[in-house]
Amino acid sequence: MNLNQIFTSQRTGNNPNTVASRTDFQRDFDRIIFSSAFRRLQNKTQVFPLPGSVFVHNRLTHSLEVSSVGRSLGSVIGEYIAENHKSDLTEESKNFYQHNLGNVIAAACLCHDVGNPAFGHSGEDAIASYFDRNENDLKPKFNEKEWADLVNFEGNANAIRVLAQQQQGKDAGGTQLTFATLASIAKYPCEAIAKKKGIIHRKKFGFFQNEKDIFLEIAKGTNLISESEDPHIFKRHPFVWLVEAADDICYNIIDMEDAHRLGIVSTADCQNLFFELVKSETDDVDRVKRKLDSIGNDNEKISYLRAKVINALINKSISMYKQNFDKILEGNLDKALLDMYKSENKALQDIESFSVEKIYNHKAVVEIENAGYNVMYELLDHFIPSILKSEDKIKSYDTKALKLIPKQFIYEEGSDYQKVLGVVDFVSGMTDNYATDLYRKIKGIDIGMTM
């Protein structure tokens, strides 16, 4: 890939660029911050049930922290590219890598989870399995590629839709972000029908059929390497690896800190796991140990070690990105940066295995996943049969159900696929609390007027 041709300030919606004190990529960050989709992340589960007596991370605080780490990664790698490839770069490109790559990665990290529904991964599972479990009734209404979108629903593809599609009555281009930022969140740049386990850029899928033309514009504007045109498959954009690394760093480490604050993980276990990783990546273990011994509060001890661990993982990710830079540009790297490091670092392996056993399978987490799955499934089951009925078959209860859906999600003139996507937009965009409240009302658990 040509380093001069993998970024652009072109935006969805085809609006002309305006002159402003901020760069186009700084404006991306600001647009995301002020978007309703980003704001709703404050009440979407990261791992633990919300709210609780102890403050834990939600999707919004997670995204802010990922963005902070991503800015660091992007800034350092931008300087590296500007210095080590200066003979290949135009003046515009030098300026971009020196001053704006950090902004692009920060913005992409900020919005990487906006397509995730309520209740974490169980929300994704509920949406996908709704269609799978109702295959006999629903599959005949869609073509093969549309059906693949629905039975494989997941947040990465939905993020592109949330950020780029035009809702009913709203502006073209959605949030109108630059193609550079949108390409940076496309971890799986392929159609759903092309997804294939074991291949990093095809493990899931990156865009719905409804947004295929938009994604092809993004791919063209950022010169993604095409692997296939039918179905469409692209190699990852070079910036994706940095966004992915920032996300991996944060959730691997901060979920452990949350579990410690909740008393799920003991101070000794958490401290030992973090310290072993710091020890594997620092030459000054004694200084770290002295600082740790001087802190009297257990939460502060873990916070200090968490900061040291994140710093170590940032440095390691930068190193591995540089080592694999040619493969990344060629589209030939086949393993995430942190996964490569994990394969050679037992301390990080231990953190992951401990998290799976003690955190992600903890009773409170499993309970919210089960509850969330049922809430999301039942909401879809309340709306989708009604939205698909023809005018001559629609009943009074169908009309009442559809009145609960805001107008921007109703595509009356669209295909069955577009109508169903509108319902999925509505349900997947809900916060945990809103989804739970609506579920309780339509099931008759809570009855009474609320505003």
Side-chain angles (χ1 to χ4, degrees):
M1 299 181 81
N2 186 326
L3 287 167
N4 297 300
Q5 298 174 349
I6 62 174
F7 68 92
T8 175
S9 59
Q10 185 179 352
R11 298 181 178 278
T12 56
N14 295 315
N15 290 326
N17 290 340
T18 57
V19 178
S21 57
R22 300 163 294 158
T23 69
D24 288 306
F25 310 106
Q26 289 172 324
R27 290 166 68 199
D28 278 357
F29 187 94
D30 296 343
R31 287 180 183 204
I32 297 161
I33 283 282
F34 284 96
S35 69
S36 57
F38 179 75
R39 195 160 56 247
R40 285 194 296 269
L41 294 178
Q42 69 183 304
N43 191 226
K44 288 192 177 186
T45 301
Q46 176 64 15
V47 174
F48 299 106
L50 303 171
S53 57
V54 178
F55 184 78
V56 292
H57 287 80
N58 52 45
R59 289 277 175 183
L60 187 144
T61 50
H62 165 73
S63 297
L64 288 169
E65 290 171 348
V66 174
S67 183
S68 177
V69 171
R71 188 183 297 280
S72 297
L73 291 172
S75 296
V76 174
I77 293 301
E79 290 287 347
Y80 167 78
I81 293 172
E83 179 60 31
N84 288 270
H85 296 268
K86 55 188 173 186
S87 61
D88 301 323
L89 301 177
T90 64
E91 284 304 313
E92 179 189 8
S93 296
K94 286 178 187 174
N95 180 69
F96 170 80
Y97 289 110
Q98 284 179 326
H99 304 295
N100 272 307
L101 181 56
N103 292 324
V104 170
I105 304 304
C109 289
L110 199 64
C111 65
H112 79 285
D113 268 354
V114 296
N116 286 46
F119 306 109
H121 291 298
S122 64
E124 289 179 306
D125 292 342
I127 296 172
S129 67
Y130 174 80
F131 295 99
D132 188 49
R133 289 168 62 179
N134 292 279
E135 180 176 349
N136 291 339
D137 292 330
L138 295 177
K139 189 175 181 180
K141 297 179 182 293
F142 310 100
N143 66 40
E144 184 184 12
K145 290 185 175 182
E146 291 170 347
W147 183 246
D149 285 353
L150 300 172
V151 294
N152 293 293
F153 176 90
E154 65 92 43
N156 288 279
N158 200 42
I160 294 292
R161 179 169 170 81
V162 168
L163 294 166
Q165 66 117 0
Q166 181 178 9
Q167 290 182 331
Q168 289 284 75
K170 297 200 173 182
D171 222 357
T175 317
Q176 298 177 354
L177 303 182
T178 64
F179 288 177
T181 294
L182 291 170
S184 300
I185 65 170
K187 290 171 67 176
Y188 314 107
C190 67
E191 298 181 68
I193 201 168
K195 64 173 289 209
K196 188 173 182 180
K197 286 185 178 180
I199 302 177
I200 192 166
H201 61 293
R202 294 170 60 187
K203 179 183 174 185
K204 300 179 183 178
F205 73 105
F207 53 92
F208 294 112
Q209 290 300 301
N210 200 71
E211 283 69 55
K212 181 164 72 173
D213 289 343
I214 294 174
F215 192 84
L216 293 179
E217 283 186 50
I218 295 168
K220 182 180 179 182
T222 55
N223 281 278
L224 295 190
I225 298 170
S226 176
E227 187 176 296
S228 167
E229 292 189 0
D230 190 18
H232 281 289
I233 305 170
F234 296 93
K235 298 288 191 179
R236 284 179 160 191
H237 192 284
F239 302 164
V240 167
W241 303 92
L242 298 173
V243 176
E244 180 180 57
D247 188 25
D248 288 349
I249 288 169
C250 288
Y251 83 73
N252 268 278
I253 303 307
I254 291 171
D255 291 350
M256 180 79 74
E257 184 181 20
D258 277 350
H260 172 260
R261 285 184 177 271
L262 289 168
I264 293 170
V265 175
S266 71
T267 301
D269 283 340
C270 193
Q271 183 172 318
N272 290 339
L273 286 163
F274 280 1
F275 187 75
E276 284 302 309
L277 197 149
V278 172
K279 191 165 68 173
S280 69
E281 289 299 324
T282 185
D283 296 326
D284 197 2
V285 179
D286 290 340
R287 184 180 64 82
V288 174
K289 204 166 184 178
R290 285 195 301 273
K291 174 68 174 177
L292 199 60
D293 291 340
S294 71
I295 301 172
N297 181 279
D298 286 344
N299 285 337
E300 286 302 306
K301 283 179 182 284
I302 300 306
S303 293
Y304 168 70
L305 284 175
R306 178 257 302 148
K308 300 298 290 184
V309 168
I310 287 178
N311 184 64
L313 292 178
I314 288 173
N315 291 335
K316 197 66 185 180
S317 297
I318 289 167
S319 174
M320 301 196 86
Y321 192 89
K322 291 177 181 178
Q323 289 172 27
N324 292 278
F325 190 65
D326 289 339
K327 280 187 177 181
I328 287 169
L329 280 187
E330 294 161 3
N332 292 329
L333 191 60
D334 59 1
K335 204 169 187 180
L337 298 177
L338 224 63
D339 285 345
M340 286 192 288
Y341 177 52
K342 196 183 299 173
S343 65
E344 65 184 46
N345 186 284
K346 188 176 183 304
L348 193 53
Q349 293 171 24
D350 289 343
I351 288 174
E352 181 181 59
S353 58
F354 186 92
S355 296
V356 170
E357 180 185 354
K358 301 293 186 181
I359 300 173
Y360 304 131
N361 285 304
H362 188 271
K363 182 183 177 184
V365 175
V366 175
E367 284 175 347
I368 196 69
E369 287 178 343
N370 276 274
Y373 177 95
N374 288 319
V375 166
M376 301 295 278
Y377 185 97
E378 292 295 331
L379 288 174
L380 290 174
D381 199 42
H382 188 72
F383 297 118
I384 285 179
S386 297
I387 201 76
L388 288 174
K389 285 187 179 177
S390 58
E391 281 190 30
D392 60 319
K393 291 186 178 179
I394 200 161
K395 304 293 184 184
S396 174
Y397 60 80
D398 297 309
T399 303
K400 294 293 185 185
L402 297 180
K403 283 185 179 295
L404 294 174
I405 303 177
K407 289 182 179 179
Q408 68 262 34
F409 301 114
I410 300 288
Y411 297 91
E412 292 177 338
E413 305 302 319
S415 65
D416 285 346
Y417 172 69
Q418 290 169 325
K419 289 176 182 177
V420 165
L421 281 183
V423 173
V424 171
D425 289 344
F426 175 48
V427 174
S428 67
M430 293 177 182
T431 63
D432 292 20
N433 285 352
Y434 183 82
T436 303
D437 288 346
L438 185 58
Y439 168 82
R440 292 174 65 86
K441 288 172 183 174
I442 64 175
K443 289 295 180 181
I445 300 168
D446 284 341
I447 298 176
M449 180 178 285
T450 56
M451 301 300 288

